[in-house]
Amino acid sequence: MKDLELVKKGYANGVAPNSPLSEDDKWKMVEIAAKKYGEFLDALGCDWRNDPNSSDTPRRVAKAYVFDLWKGRYEDMSGITAFPSDGYDGIVQESMIPVESMCSHHHQRIGGKVSIAYVPSKDGKVVGLSKLNRIVEHFGRRGAIQEQLTVAIHNAVDKICEGNIGVAVMIDATHNCVSCRGVKHQGASMQTAKLSGCFLNEDSARAEFYKNIELAGKCK
Ligand SMILES: [Zn+2]
């Protein structure tokens, strides 16, 4: 799907310059990145070649980045079909979608939950529920800052759900760069939200969004 990206190709939190990559291109990228990661370990004084646990680590790390951790940089989000709302004009919400991401600043894990809601107009569009999960995966699986990730997910939902009268996205996540390094504080979490349309302008819509998140939390 076109025009869902907020940032220029090649930016750290965007797609790679030549994205989408073929499988061949991905494996070529793994080989190059593995070589460079070996050099990175060399620079850290790590004799990785002679440790059976580490001798294949550069390749393992490179593979994890290309096929899992940053896969959203190398793949297109496959087509997301929107369907007519057939007169439904209430809230559509999915709460507590798991997100696994990595901060652009330190390359440490960002992990948490995303809640997404939109209100279609009577003659607008709705999407299959799991498509919201796929949008989270697409933008989460790359370097990100939580603030930008929140806006990227919001704007994608806004574009795909044509004719909507409001979109709300809330992310609640912990950052390993806070818990494992620097200040080393365990348990602190970060909340970010991007609201538009009725969620921004109507107290009742905004309250319903946050109430649904609370309800979803209680049902776990
Ligand atoms: Zn960080």
Side-chain angles (χ1 to χ4, degrees), residues 115-156:
S115 297
I116 303 174
Y118 63 95
V119 177
S121 55
K122 277 186 180 144
D123 52 0
K125 297 282 177 73
V126 294
V127 291
L129 197 55
S130 66
K131 303 303 186 291
L132 298 178
N133 304 64
R134 279 174 42 201
I135 292 169
V136 171
E137 278 290 296
H138 181 68
F139 292 100
R141 293 292 181 166
R142 52 175 85 171
I145 62 166
Q146 187 176 321
E147 296 88 334
Q148 194 267 350
L149 179 58
T150 311
V151 178
I153 294 170
H154 170 280
N155 288 10

Side-chain angles (χ1 to χ4, degrees), residues 27-185:
W27 284 109
K28 274 181 205 152
M29 182 176 268
V30 167
E31 295 312 321
I32 296 166
K35 189 164 176 290
K36 300 289 185 190
Y37 196 79
E39 289 169 13
F40 175 80
L41 293 177
D42 289 339
L44 292 172
C46 171
D47 183 12
W48 56 274
R49 292 174 188 81
N50 292 309
D51 171 17
N53 289 307
S54 305
S55 56
D56 202 30
T57 293
R59 198 160 186 282
R60 257 184 229 114
V61 172
K63 207 174 137 199
Y65 267 78
V66 173
F67 289 99
D68 291 302
L69 305 174
W70 279 15
K71 70 176 180 183
R73 285 174 56 74
Y74 310 119
E75 291 175 358
D76 263 347
M77 186 159 56
S78 47
I80 291 187
T81 314
F83 303 97
S85 63
D86 283 343
Y88 182 78
D89 59 357
I91 193 169
V92 179
Q93 179 159 345
E94 188 175 16
S95 302
M96 316 295 262
I97 300 169
V99 61
E100 289 295 330
S101 193
M102 179 190 286
C103 79
S104 300
H105 299 149
H106 306 95
H107 285 195
Q108 293 286 305
R109 176 181 183 258
I110 299 174
K113 305 282 188 203
V114 185
S115 297
I116 303 174
Y118 63 95
V119 177
S121 55
K122 277 186 180 144
D123 52 0
K125 297 282 177 73
V126 294
V127 291
L129 197 55
S130 66
K131 303 303 186 291
L132 298 178
N133 304 64
R134 279 174 42 201
I135 292 169
V136 171
E137 278 290 296
H138 181 68
F139 292 100
R141 293 292 181 166
R142 52 175 85 171
I145 62 166
Q146 187 176 321
E147 296 88 334
Q148 194 267 350
L149 179 58
T150 311
V151 178
I153 294 170
H154 170 280
N155 288 10
V157 174
D158 188 34
K159 278 187 183 158
I160 292 165
C161 300
E162 288 168 42
N164 74 76
I165 61 166
V167 173
V169 176
M170 208 275 259
I171 303 182
D172 176 25
T174 57
H175 291 235
N176 275 16
C177 63
V178 173
S179 59
C180 297
R181 56 156 292 288
V183 72
K184 301 186 190 72
H185 280 181

